[in-house]
Amino acid sequence: MKKLEYIKEAVIARNPNDSEFLQAVEEVLDSLELVVEKRPELLKTGVIERIVEPERQIMFRVPWVDDNGIIQVNRGFRVQFNSAIGPYKGGLRFHPSVNLSIIKFLGFEQTFKNALTTLPMGGGKGGCDFDPKGKSDGEIMRFCQSFMMELSKHIGQFTDVPAGDIGVGAREIGYLFGQYKKIKNEYTGVLTGKGLDWGGSLARKEATGYGLCYLMDAMLKDHNLSFEGKTTVISGSGNVAIYACQKATELGAKVVAMSDSGGYIYDENGIDLALIKELKEVKRARISEYVNTVPTASYTEGCGNIWNVACDIALPCATQNELDETGAKTLVNNGCLALGEGANMPCTPKAIEVLQSNKVLYAPGKASNAGGVATSGLEMTQNSIRLSWTFEEVDAKLKEIMVTIYHDISQTAKEFGVEDNFVIGANIAGFLKVANAMIDQGV
Ligand code: GLU
């Protein structure tokens, strides 16, 4: 009988319709069974019941006027999940799928991820069900200004520091920052992912993708493997995927497939990353256009099928639950050696089961994609000391953090008798840091 079943039942009763949030909580609670076996006294502190309930959840109306003069209304969110080890920290997601369950799952995961970085950041997440696709620059700006009108009441450099996530990049952070500055009449590091001319950090843009590869490199080397000569598939073509592709290629991998929400491209000669950057970062175009320039490549409709492409290393960098049991079985049958999550929770629980039971080295997002938020933490440090570090300095710190995370989760897994189970290693290592702080600070 599982010791934490009663907590799971209480979370289900309180959040009956929040499937993504329940998925994230269940995974952590399952890992924590091993902790309460060793430290049964933890149960008396109520720390587990407290850690699964957000400290604060804010939902608000976001009215804005589109280019045709029509009034649009969206729903905004900020979930301030946990502030035990620092101000709430985590991105904003603008995507039509956004709802409270998704923001809660992201905020929950962020709490443990941020703890793993070793930097003093609590966990939070926010966003809106706004769809940036097809919107003009003016519409994006007016929307961001309206969103910040309300969000500004709840954030601050010592309270809560948002950043980007899906649908929120440098352009959106610029409009959000400008509006915050006008409302508050103060220039502070209240957002990260800022432009390089106005308080941003070098290497922040590259950080999540680079960090993913640094962690995977450490994991592969620990198992006498490397990226060298490995066929690699990367889902997505946003910020995380693009810089994962760049670093994996630098480390010797051959990336043969990437995707967007419409479908995937396969290029057996290796992805032309300059072309992807041009399509995605400059033109904001569909990935299908890749084949117009590279006729030897192919485009397949349906992004979920990307896992049919045989590979040694898989890096899902698109979105939650993008890789299911069938995808995982296909990867295993094709001889996949390792999988690192660049996105948040891209593998379903069944997919993880398939990968782990077939000895595929599996790195969970809360460890492997922590490089983005870690570098946000470094941006906060630079803002506080009023200095900017060089690209090389930030990159070296990022690398050190990712290698440390790998050793931390690997060591924790060993200590709890589950060598190479990096899910349990990450969940327990992240949990212990936050839980100890919460216990020290009292109820
Ligand atoms: N959205 C990113 C994440 O999932 C980055 C958050 C941040 O930099 O605060 O970790």
Side-chain angles (χ1 to χ4, degrees):
M1 174 69 186
K2 287 183 180 173
K3 283 207 172 66
L4 298 175
E5 203 57 32
Y6 69 101
I7 298 182
K8 199 182 281 186
E9 278 165 18
V11 178
I12 294 171
R14 192 172 266 160
N15 307 273
N17 304 313
D18 298 343
S19 61
E20 295 85 1
F21 178 55
L22 293 173
Q23 181 182 333
V25 172
E26 281 181 29
E27 185 203 276
V28 170
L29 290 181
D30 285 344
S31 299
L32 296 186
E33 291 287 340
L34 293 174
V35 178
V36 295
E37 226 167 78
K38 263 198 182 172
R39 287 176 59 183
E41 76 282 0
L42 265 182
L43 288 174
K44 287 201 204 90
T45 67
V47 74
I48 303 177
E49 287 95 321
R50 288 189 275 146
I51 219 166
V52 295
E53 179 69 10
E55 287 178 22
R56 192 173 298 107
Q57 308 182 51
I58 302 147
M59 280 170 70
F60 51 96
R61 178 171 68 195
V62 189
W64 57 281
V65 182
D66 71 17
D67 285 348
N68 300 316
I70 311 279
I71 295 166
Q72 303 285 342
V73 178
N74 286 100
R75 178 172 284 181
F77 303 86
R78 186 72 183 167
V79 172
Q80 299 179 328
F81 219 104
N82 194 299
S83 61
I85 63 169
Y88 308 106
K89 180 83 196 88
L92 298 170
R93 177 177 291 191
F94 293 166
H95 191 270
S97 66
V98 163
N99 57 36
L100 190 57
S101 168
I102 289 179
I103 299 299
K104 273 196 293 191
F105 114 67
L106 289 165
F108 180 71
E109 295 245 308
Q110 197 83 45
T111 300
F112 303 101
K113 183 197 308 193
N114 294 2
L116 288 173
T117 66
T118 70
L119 301 175
M121 300 181 290
K125 203 86 185 190
C128 193
D129 59 1
F130 171 77
D131 188 357
K133 226 181 256 161
K135 301 288 189 299
S136 71
D137 240 22
E139 288 177 321
I140 298 281
M141 183 178 75
R142 291 193 298 281
F143 167 78
C144 287
Q145 290 174 337
S146 176
F147 185 83
M148 185 51 88
M149 191 54 99
E150 176 62 28
L151 187 70
S152 63
K153 297 170 189 163
H154 311 285
I155 62 175
Q157 62 168 331
F158 301 121
T159 312
D160 184 353
V161 182
D165 195 83
I166 294 172
V168 179
R171 174 180 59 167
E172 291 74 19
I173 293 292
Y175 296 143
L176 291 164
F177 185 80
Q179 182 75 344
Y180 182 87
K181 190 161 61 67
K182 273 185 212 146
I183 296 169
K184 298 277 181 175
N185 192 25
E186 60 178 36
Y187 204 110
T188 60
V190 66
L191 292 162
T192 59
K194 297 186 290 299
L196 294 176
D197 295 327
W198 42 278
S201 173
L202 285 160
R204 173 62 188 88
K205 188 171 68 163
E206 293 82 355
T208 316
Y210 277 23
L212 168 65
C213 293
Y214 292 147
L215 184 134
M216 291 307 287
D217 191 47
M219 174 184 285
L220 291 165
K221 283 190 178 137
D222 199 25
H223 294 82
N224 297 318
L225 294 164
S226 78
F227 271 108
E228 196 60 55
K230 299 293 188 301
T231 301
T232 299
V233 166
I234 301 180
S235 63
S237 49
N239 191 49
V240 182
I242 285 176
Y243 292 97
C245 179
Q246 186 157 314
K247 186 53 73 178
T249 308
E250 253 176 69
L251 292 170
K254 182 165 148 193
V255 180
V256 296
M258 288 179 83
S259 61
D260 66 13
S261 58
Y264 73 89
I265 49 155
Y266 171 71
D267 187 342
E268 65 172 342
N269 299 318
I271 295 286
D272 176 347
L273 193 60
L275 177 55
I276 293 281
K277 283 185 182 173
E278 169 76 12
L279 290 173
K280 288 293 172 184
E281 291 184 338
V282 183
K283 293 189 178 156
R284 298 182 193 270
R286 306 306 298 165
I287 206 164
S288 54
E289 287 186 29
Y290 184 93
V291 299
N292 299 340
T293 309
V294 186
T296 49
S298 63
Y299 173 72
T300 308
E301 206 72 49
C303 53
N305 297 326
I306 193 171
W307 310 116
N308 292 338
V309 177
C311 64
D312 304 306
I313 297 173
L315 303 175
C317 297
T319 195
Q320 69 269 359
N321 292 329
E322 57 166 305
L323 203 171
D324 62 9
E325 186 180 8
T326 313
K329 281 185 179 157
T330 310
L331 286 174
V332 168
N333 291 337
N334 286 335
C336 178
L337 302 167
L339 182 145
E341 295 185 335
N344 289 311
M345 207 169 77
C347 294
T348 64
K350 281 261 190 306
I352 299 172
E353 217 176 282
V354 170
L355 296 169
Q356 289 186 322
S357 60
N358 285 283
K359 304 265 176 273
V360 176
L361 293 171
Y362 166 71
K366 56 171 86 71
S368 53
N369 74 32
V373 74
T375 308
S376 279
L378 300 176
E379 182 172 329
M380 291 164 75
T381 308
Q382 293 168 81
N383 292 164
S384 297
I385 60 172
R386 308 246 184 276
L387 281 176
S388 302
W389 294 328
T390 63
F391 189 97
E392 289 69 29
E393 280 175 290
V394 180
D395 189 39
K397 287 184 169 68
L398 166 65
K399 191 170 185 178
E400 194 186 316
I401 289 171
M402 298 313 295
V403 172
T404 304
I405 293 177
Y406 172 68
H407 290 302
D408 189 16
I409 63 173
S410 161
Q411 189 54 35
T412 306
K414 273 187 206 145
E415 257 168 49
F416 282 82
V418 284
E419 186 164 354
D420 283 352
N421 188 328
F422 305 111
V423 174
I424 294 183
N427 286 338
I428 293 183
F431 167 80
L432 286 177
K433 182 166 180 198
V434 180
N436 289 338
M438 288 172 74
I439 294 167
D440 287 347
Q441 292 168 21
V443 184

